[in-house]
Amino acid sequence: MNDLKKITSALISVYHKDNLEEIVKKLNSLNVKLYSTGGTQDFIESLGIKVTAVEDVTSYPSIFGGRVKTLHPKVFGGILYRRDNPKDLAEASQYEIPPVDLVIVDLYPFEETVASGAEEQAIIEKIDIGGISLIRAAAKNFNDVVIVPSKNEYGKLIELLNEKHGETSLADRKWFAASAFNVSSHYDTAIFNYFNQDSTFPVFKQSITKGSTLRYGENPHQKGFFFGNLDDIFQQIHGKEISYNNLLDIDAAVNLISEFSETTFAILKHNNACGIASRENLIDAWKDALAGDPVSAFGGVLITNKTVDAETANEINQLFFEVIIAPAYDEKALEVLKSRKNRIILIQKPAQLPAYTHRSLLNGVVMQEKDLSIETENDMQTVTKQAPTSAEISDLIFANKIVKHTKSNAIVLAKNKQLFASGVGQTSRVDALQQAIEKAGTFGFDLKGAVMASDAFFPFADCVEIAHQAGITSVVQPGGSVKDNDSIEYCDHHNIAMAFTGIRHFKH
């Protein structure tokens, strides 16, 4: 069965005229009758190509400031009537409805207008009515009509016109129809989310139109996909394709480093920091971050908030790692780091990340505001007789930032803005603390004078007791347990300083 159909007429109504000229000239060379209106009509006429105004077909002008131009039975009838249906053919003839075989649309830039910070009235005027209706109508009648729903499909259309000389197959038209509903559904989602910013409607709608297939998911037997545009956040300048697990670690790394303004280096493994330090010089930050756990650092993800220099790169290059992220690299540093062909090197761009997080579970999705709370010295209420020293306060703030980004139950031990050890993802807080103490000892850290941060309150006094016996002298935690006084009394009896923040940082 021959399903090829010849394009004899086209309706063109677009916002962006970029790259449209080639299409218009090609359609004209194929003797396709062109219909248009408004600015698109002016553009076509400026090319010296004949075009029929939609108003001449409908006998109605563009009205209401351009809000109504193509919304007319003679336009939509020409798109929607079924060419193999005798009744439709008779009605099209009766009402003098000309056929439209190709519809090219590029919608008003609603999302861009919202992102620009425009006033509401300007945003509302960028809600496309005629264009979105043309897209849906042409896509519905894909048996007979080709729909090009955005400028992103211009290239596909010109390729098709050149290859098939104005003819299209059913498969071609169905592909464009699918693309059209992708465009229209995304557009409507953006509009809904604009109107639902205060979550008046408990509805989950997300639309991401760019995606990629990953090598595999969390494990080789699982398929994996990423939906989003990493180019908005990173420039990859070297290395292999980023994997599913790389993405998880990169996300954790970016969120962690965002907490620090002073020169900081962090090493992450399985989404948790295994080493992090803040120093005046990057080379010292790297060395002290690595000292936190040189074993776990193998195969990890590295991130810093400063330009990587050649001296630091030479030190880093002694370690096998998967990914490094920085705002910039010296030329000589890149020469060193590129010595391993698969090593992923990313430049982090300034970018605003989403304010909400969501994950699928059971038969639905949970969504929450991102944990953006960053506790400062003013947020730390000393609840013990002994107050933390200025050095301890600095370390408590440092440790609290790390524990916020560590899998619960979590304990972080730190001193002089260096992670000594952490207890990660344990089923009890005591287990997390004991894990951290043991790990600190393994790598030769003396915990005398170190500080402890906890992501949640201590239900009993056992944690401060164990910490004291290990040498910890200052503690930060949210507080809020019915037995807070037990922990406070123990600290008072043993000259330990403890501060409450009132903010819990569970991370699951």
Side-chain angles (χ1 to χ4, degrees):
M1 179 179 177
N2 186 2
D3 61 6
L4 290 177
K5 290 184 180 290
K6 185 78 172 178
I7 297 172
T8 62
S9 57
L11 171 60
I12 308 175
S13 180
V14 302
Y15 184 86
H16 292 104
K17 313 302 187 293
D18 303 344
N19 302 317
L20 184 62
E21 180 177 346
E22 183 181 5
I23 291 173
V24 171
K25 288 182 175 179
K26 183 63 180 180
L27 291 173
N28 184 59
S29 72
L30 293 170
N31 296 316
V32 175
K33 184 176 179 62
L34 302 181
Y35 298 97
S36 192
T37 186
T40 308
Q41 179 186 341
D42 294 339
F43 174 81
I44 295 172
E45 289 175 341
S46 73
L47 300 175
I49 293 174
K50 184 179 179 181
V51 57
T52 300
V54 167
E55 292 88 338
D56 292 341
V57 177
T58 64
S59 298
Y60 270 88
S62 173
I63 56 176
F64 308 134
R67 283 190 165 197
V68 179
K69 291 182 284 191
T70 58
L71 296 168
H72 193 280
K74 281 201 170 184
V75 175
F76 282 85
I79 296 169
L80 282 165
Y81 83 82
R82 292 157 290 190
R83 276 58 163 177
D84 59 355
N85 185 302
K87 185 178 179 181
D88 284 9
L89 289 169
E91 289 180 337
S93 177
Q94 177 184 354
Y95 296 110
E96 298 180 335
I97 296 174
V100 176
D101 304 321
L102 168 65
V103 176
I104 303 176
V105 175
D106 186 62
L107 298 171
Y108 291 163
F110 177 81
E111 288 181 281
E112 293 87 339
T113 306
V114 172
S116 73
E119 295 182 356
E120 182 168 86
Q121 188 55 44
I123 292 171
I124 298 306
E125 289 305 317
K126 286 299 185 286
I127 298 177
D128 206 310
I129 302 301
I132 204 78
S133 302
L134 290 170
I135 287 173
R136 292 179 63 84
K140 178 176 181 176
N141 199 22
F142 66 86
N143 276 318
D144 300 307
V145 180
V146 181
I147 171 62
V148 178
S150 79
K151 61 182 179 180
N152 296 328
E153 286 73 38
Y154 287 179
K156 177 75 173 179
L157 175 64
I158 197 69
E159 180 183 313
L160 192 64
L161 293 174
N162 287 329
E163 180 184 335
K164 297 185 177 178
H165 311 291
E167 291 187 319
T168 63
S169 68
L170 180 61
D172 295 328
R173 296 189 296 276
K174 202 166 186 177
W175 184 92
F176 277 106
S179 179
F181 286 119
N182 179 33
V183 169
S184 64
S185 61
H186 177 79
Y187 197 76
D188 285 339
T189 296
I191 295 170
F192 171 77
N193 285 334
Y194 171 76
F195 280 94
N196 196 44
Q197 293 179 69
D198 59 357
S199 300
T200 300
F201 299 93
V203 175
F204 179 78
K205 288 185 185 293
Q206 292 290 321
S207 177
I208 301 174
T209 56
K210 185 169 183 177
S212 58
T213 301
L214 304 174
R215 283 177 289 159
Y216 51 79
E218 205 160 5
N219 300 291
H221 64 277
Q222 296 171 269
K223 291 181 179 180
F225 307 89
F226 175 75
F227 299 102
N229 188 1
L230 285 178
D231 292 340
D232 290 341
I233 304 175
F234 303 110
Q235 177 187 354
Q236 181 171 353
I237 55 178
H238 187 73
K240 63 183 179 180
E241 177 186 339
I242 297 174
S243 72
Y244 183 98
N245 290 327
N246 289 154
L247 287 169
L248 294 178
D249 282 330
I250 290 169
D251 177 68
V254 167
N255 286 315
L256 173 61
I257 206 70
S258 69
E259 304 278 3
F260 298 90
S261 57
E262 56 192 318
T263 300
T264 302
F265 225 121
I267 307 168
L268 287 90
K269 197 74 173 287
H270 297 293
N271 313 152
N272 296 294
C274 59
I276 180 170
S278 295
R279 295 289 181 265
E280 288 188 9
N281 300 313
L282 189 64
I283 184 70
D284 294 330
W286 162 251
K287 288 179 178 179
D288 288 343
L290 180 62
D293 186 347
V295 175
S296 296
F298 183 87
V301 168
L302 319 182
I303 190 166
T304 182
N305 54 3
K306 302 297 179 183
T307 299
V308 177
D309 55 65
E311 181 186 14
T312 306
N314 278 307
E315 288 291 330
I316 293 170
N317 200 46
Q318 297 176 38
L319 175 74
F320 170 77
F321 60 89
E322 290 271 334
V323 182
I324 184 168
I325 308 163
Y329 303 84
D330 287 349
E331 186 176 343
K332 290 184 178 179
L334 280 179
E335 291 177 9
V336 172
L337 294 174
K338 287 181 177 180
S339 61
R340 293 180 182 267
K341 68 175 183 178
N342 288 330
R343 179 180 287 163
I344 297 168
I345 303 176
L346 301 176
I347 294 175
Q348 184 178 354
K349 303 175 182 178
Q352 185 172 358
L353 297 175
Y356 286 82
T357 64
H358 57 266
R359 65 167 69 175
S360 61
L361 52 76
L362 299 176
N363 62 344
V365 174
V366 289
M367 183 171 73
Q368 65 174 349
E369 292 179 329
K370 202 169 185 178
D371 184 357
L372 298 176
S373 179
I374 302 174
E375 289 78 63
T376 65
E377 181 178 354
N378 293 333
D379 300 307
M380 294 187 179
Q381 177 190 357
T382 301
V383 294
T384 51
K385 295 176 183 178
Q386 179 77 20
T389 66
S390 59
E392 286 174 334
I393 289 173
S394 180
D395 282 340
L396 289 173
I397 292 171
F398 176 83
N400 196 51
K401 290 176 179 179
I402 300 169
V403 84
K404 170 184 170 181
H405 294 277
T406 304
K407 187 174 177 63
S408 301
N409 286 307
I411 293 289
V412 164
L413 307 179
K415 186 178 180 180
N416 297 329
K417 295 185 180 178
Q418 179 186 17
L419 174 63
F420 274 12
S422 58
V424 177
Q426 299 301 303
T427 52
S428 82
R429 204 152 298 280
V430 169
D431 287 347
L433 175 56
Q434 290 176 332
Q435 180 192 54
I437 292 171
E438 180 181 354
K439 191 172 183 180
T442 299
F443 295 110
F445 289 112
D446 181 1
L447 292 176
K448 185 177 180 180
V451 306
M452 173 174 71
S454 175
D455 63 331
F457 65 63
F458 299 124
F460 306 103
D462 47 7
C463 280
V464 291
E465 181 178 352
I466 295 169
H468 167 246
Q469 292 170 355
I472 301 298
T473 57
S474 192
V475 178
V476 62
Q477 57 139 319
S481 168
V482 295
K483 295 190 175 182
D484 275 345
N485 282 337
D486 292 353
S487 295
I488 294 171
E489 287 176 5
Y490 183 92
C491 289
D492 283 341
H493 288 152
H494 297 87
N495 297 319
I496 299 173
M498 184 162 65
F500 286 179
T501 64
I503 301 294
R504 188 180 74 185
H505 288 300
F506 269 166
K507 184 173 183 285
H508 296 106

